[in-house]
Structures are given as structure tokens and as C-alpha cells.
Amino acid sequence: MPTRVIFGSGSISNLKQIVEELGASRLFLVTDQGIVKSGIVSRVLERVPKIHLFDEIEPNPKYSTVNRAGKMVRKIKPDLVIGLGGGSSLDAAKAIALLATNGGNIEDYEGKGKYRTSPLSVLAVPTTCGTGSEVTWVSVITHTERKFKMSIKGPEMFPKVALIDPDLLISLPKPLIASTGLDALTHALEAYTVKPATFLTDLFARKSTELIFRFVERAYKNIEGDREAREKLMLASTLAGLAFGNSDVGAVHCLAESVGSLYDTPHGVANSVFLPSVMEFNLPASASRYAELAEIVGIEGESENEKARKLIERIKLLCRTLSIPSFKDLGLKPSEFLEIAQKSFQNNSNPSNPREAAVEDYLRILEKLFRQS
Ligand code: NAD
């Protein structure tokens, strides 16, 4: 794992020292308006005042925004890019660091290792408890005309340093604690059950699952007052990133990314909505793996199948407790189900899913959810 991880409440106060250790003097900060309004950007600027600020990243970051920042970064010639925010800002920072040294547009680099020169160093500071992007090598950028979420990745794209301060979650609105917390749970569950899972990724996935079940509701109820809950949830998010970053994700993400590219649905919300249905679909292939995770969270049962089914029911209950939007709330048009199913099938992670998922299977999952809504 090539990223140096610095974890701890209040660790943002070490930012200046970390920047100095990296030998950086020209800094480019990539963030979004929500982070500016939350006051987190001001806290960063207090510590490192001489910094070029790009604060225009939108959720599900768009290729046009990243390309605009790319032009800017090549003029400014920084020696470090700091990504500050949720997965959108962190992914944009990785993409901008790539454009800084390679030129061109981000869509030219879609895929694995398409760049010629190593990207600039990235310091990633997450402010949500979901994506784990601070420890992964991938940047997910939306191509709006193609209505497609591109993955741009490569071994040189891991952030140099992940500075993870759970206190930055204090300003995260309740619905985002819920949806990004369940995004992390989706990462852990998929990393554990997909075909590329390994003994090492299992360790991260199991611990992450345990922590999310123990702490997500407490964090949701009282993020400001419950320091232990926000620390453990933030840790779980990073552990889930380590798990799927070295294993993969599966059909939940295939659906969520397809829906996200067409409807701009927040990533964590889409994952939470599809997670129980895809788990039901995967049961014939994954019952024993789900049963292992069920045991970790204290679920008992006579058989693997019973434990696996109880785990799915527990996740449905968790979605209701955390007021996760329903399938109906996503506003998907049945006339577009086929396109969503086709995009899901074409997703790079589809082959990793534990049970083979054809276009018709994705279509059936969508139609079942529609009938039940
Ligand atoms: P996000 O970055 O899109 O942020 C969502 C909203 O929350 C924004 O409006 C932001 O301003 C606000 N916000 C974030 N932190 C805040 C805080 N502490 N206080 C107040 N407001 C805050 O959300 P996300 O779910 O973290 O990221 C989703 C993106 O990450 C998607 O584009 C998804 O595809 C991508 N992703 C990337 C990876 C990876 O490994 N690179 C993995 C999973 C998802």
C-alpha cells in the first residue's frame, strides 16, 4: 500500500508539517463549495496560506471541470496537489495531478496506466466516511455527453499521503453520514465477496463491516458529541477503501455508477439502494461469505442461508433507520432500465461479481425494485 496514512482526531493541525516533509512549496488545493461553506477550507488556509484554490468540483465530478482545472494547474506549476473533501474532490485532485504532468484532457487517460509521466504528488484529506479514495489508485470522473463514469487509474495514482482527521466529519450533514457510511459498507461487502478477494483484503473488509455495524447509527445520531463513533466510522471507511482497492467491487457498483452517470444520483445513495437487492441476487454464489460477515455482526442462524438472509434484512432495516432514500426516490424511468442494465453489464467491475450477471439479470433487479416501490 503505497500511501502513507496519518490518522487521528485533530490531525489536520499537522498539515503544514506534512507539506514541509513532502518538500512542497507551490500548492494547489482542489475542493468544492460545500467544503468552503463548512469552514473546513478556511481551517486549511489558516495553516497553509499560500495556496492556489480551485473550489469548483461538483458531486460526481465532471470531465469538463477537471479539464478546466488541468489547464489552470499547468500554468501555476505546483509541486503538490491537495484534495480536500469527499470522493468527488479527492478523485478530481488525482485527475488534475495527472493532467498537470501529462497535458491533454482527462478522457484521454481513461483506463489503466494510460499516462506517460507520473502524476504530481497528491495529499488526500477526506471529509466524508464513504469512498476510501484517499487510499485507492482510481479516479472516477463523469463524461457528461457519454453519460458514463470513467475510471482513470494506475500504480502512480495512489495519493502520496492520506491525512485522515475524523473531526472533519462534524460538519457532514446527517443524510451524508448515512449514505457515505453505507457506501463504505458496500465497499466492504463487495470486496469480501467478489472473485478477486484475497486473505489480506478479507481482513480489511471484515473489520470494516464490524465497525460500520457498531458505529454508523451512533455517528448518525450524534456526530458532534460522539467522538468514538466518528473515529471508528472514518477508520472503517479507509479500511473498506483498502479492501476494495486491492480486491474489487461488484454488481452494486455497476448499477450505482450507471445510475449516477445518467441521473447524477449521489454515489452512496445509489449503492445503499441497490445493496440488498444485489445481495439477494448473489445469494446462490455468496451465501457462505455473507454468513461469515453475519456472524461478525452477531447474527445467529441454523444455516449459512439463514444467516445470509438475516444479514440482508439487517441492512434493509439499517437503510430505514438511517432514512436512506427509496428506489422510488431515485426517479428512474422504466424506459431507461435497459440502458442502465447495459451500462452495468459493460462496467469494468462486472466480471468480478461473484455470480455472473448478464444484462437481463440487471434488468430483472431493476424491474423487481420498481414493482416493490
Ligand atoms: P462528495 O465528495 O460527492 O460530496 C458530497 C457532498 O458533501 C458535497 O456537496 C460536499 O460539499 C459535501 N461534503 C463533503 N464533506 C463535507 C463535510 N465534512 N461537511 C460538509 N459538507 C461536506 O461525496 P462522496 O460520497 O464522498 O464522493 C462520491 C464520489 O466518489 C463519486 O463520484 C464516486 O464515484 C467517487 N468514488 C470514488 C472512489 C475511489 O476509490 N476513487 C470510490 C468510491 C466512490
Side-chain angles (χ1 to χ4, degrees):
M1 203 261 296
T3 304
R4 179 182 165 210
V5 174
I6 299 165
F7 185 97
S9 294
S11 57
I12 192 76
S13 58
N14 300 325
L15 184 64
K16 187 165 181 278
Q17 187 195 331
I18 294 161
V19 166
E20 283 167 7
E21 280 169 16
L22 288 169
S25 53
R26 285 177 75 81
L27 314 177
F28 192 80
L29 179 66
V30 178
T31 189
D32 66 44
Q33 279 302 308
I35 307 297
V36 173
K37 287 191 193 110
S38 73
I40 295 174
V41 171
S42 316
R43 286 165 64 193
V44 165
L45 294 178
E46 273 165 25
R47 290 177 173 89
V48 274
K50 282 193 194 145
I51 198 162
H52 294 275
L53 177 64
F54 186 85
D55 59 7
E56 297 168 35
I57 303 302
E58 58 283 276
N60 294 320
K62 313 283 172 279
Y63 77 125
S64 47
T65 311
V66 166
N67 288 340
R68 200 167 63 249
K71 280 190 191 132
M72 200 182 280
V73 83
R74 285 195 290 274
K75 278 193 199 127
I76 292 167
K77 296 192 188 344
D79 45 21
L80 179 70
V81 176
I82 301 178
L84 174 70
S88 299
S89 292
L90 302 192
D91 283 4
K94 291 179 191 171
I96 293 164
L98 187 160
L99 292 180
T101 53
N102 286 272
N105 291 319
I106 198 61
E107 59 273 26
D108 306 335
Y109 302 99
E110 185 179 350
K112 184 154 70 171
K114 294 284 169 60
Y115 45 83
R116 291 173 303 281
T117 312
S118 286
L120 278 183
S121 295
V122 171
L123 194 168
V125 187
T127 63
T128 63
C129 42
T131 72
S133 177
E134 67 277 8
V135 289
T136 71
W137 71 350
V138 61
S139 163
V140 185
I141 305 295
T142 301
H143 194 297
T144 32
E145 280 74 41
R146 277 168 58 206
K147 295 192 191 271
F148 188 72
K149 284 187 117 174
M150 304 180 289
S151 285
I152 299 108
K153 58 185 168 190
E156 293 77 13
M157 287 185 68
F158 283 98
K160 195 93 175 161
V161 178
L163 176 58
I164 307 165
D165 182 346
D167 285 353
L168 299 182
L169 294 180
I170 288 173
S171 56
L172 191 63
K174 249 177 182 314
L176 278 151
I177 296 169
S179 62
T180 64
L182 292 194
D183 183 24
L185 180 64
T186 309
H187 292 152
L189 287 169
E190 291 214 290
Y192 196 69
T193 45
V194 290
K195 288 175 188 159
T198 66
F199 175 75
L200 288 177
T201 56
D202 285 356
L203 296 177
F204 294 125
R206 288 164 70 97
K207 189 67 193 173
S208 176
T209 304
E210 180 205 323
L211 290 175
I212 295 167
F213 273 99
R214 272 178 65 199
F215 292 103
V216 69
E217 283 178 60
R218 272 173 55 181
Y220 178 74
K221 280 191 198 129
N222 184 13
I223 195 78
E224 190 167 2
D226 196 336
R227 175 181 166 142
E228 186 188 23
R230 61 176 188 268
E231 284 181 350
K232 293 295 197 289
L233 191 58
M234 194 61 142
L235 179 61
S237 167
T238 301
L239 292 179
L242 288 170
F244 86 83
N246 291 283
S247 167
D248 199 0
V249 286
V252 182
H253 272 76
C254 298
L255 280 162
E257 290 189 2
S258 308
V259 167
S261 67
L262 284 165
Y263 293 87
D264 217 10
T265 314
H267 180 72
V269 170
N271 270 340
S272 316
V273 169
F274 291 120
L275 179 60
S277 304
V278 170
M279 287 177 77
E280 279 164 0
F281 170 77
N282 280 340
L283 261 180
S286 300
S288 63
R289 297 293 271 171
Y290 290 147
E292 286 165 15
L293 294 178
E295 280 170 17
I296 289 172
V297 303
I299 291 172
E300 291 173 0
E302 296 289 312
S303 65
E304 285 177 344
N305 227 34
E306 187 187 342
K307 285 183 230 173
R309 286 194 182 279
K310 281 186 177 170
L311 179 68
I312 298 171
E313 290 312 310
R314 176 82 72 86
I315 291 170
K316 287 183 184 168
L317 178 64
L318 193 55
C319 287
R320 289 195 294 275
T321 311
L322 300 180
S323 299
I324 292 288
S326 66
F327 178 76
K328 202 173 183 179
D329 296 328
L330 302 186
L332 310 189
K333 296 190 201 99
S335 59
E336 289 186 321
F337 284 0
L338 182 59
E339 188 180 353
I340 297 168
Q342 283 166 339
K343 278 181 192 289
S344 305
F345 177 72
Q346 285 156 8
N347 191 293
N348 283 337
S349 293
N350 182 51
S352 295
N353 196 58
R355 182 178 172 193
E356 206 169 302
V359 175
E360 298 72 44
D361 295 313
Y362 284 110
L363 203 51
R364 255 180 250 132
I365 291 172
L366 290 162
E367 283 166 351
K368 190 171 167 197
L369 276 165
F370 182 70
R371 279 197 306 278
Q372 290 170 346
S373 66

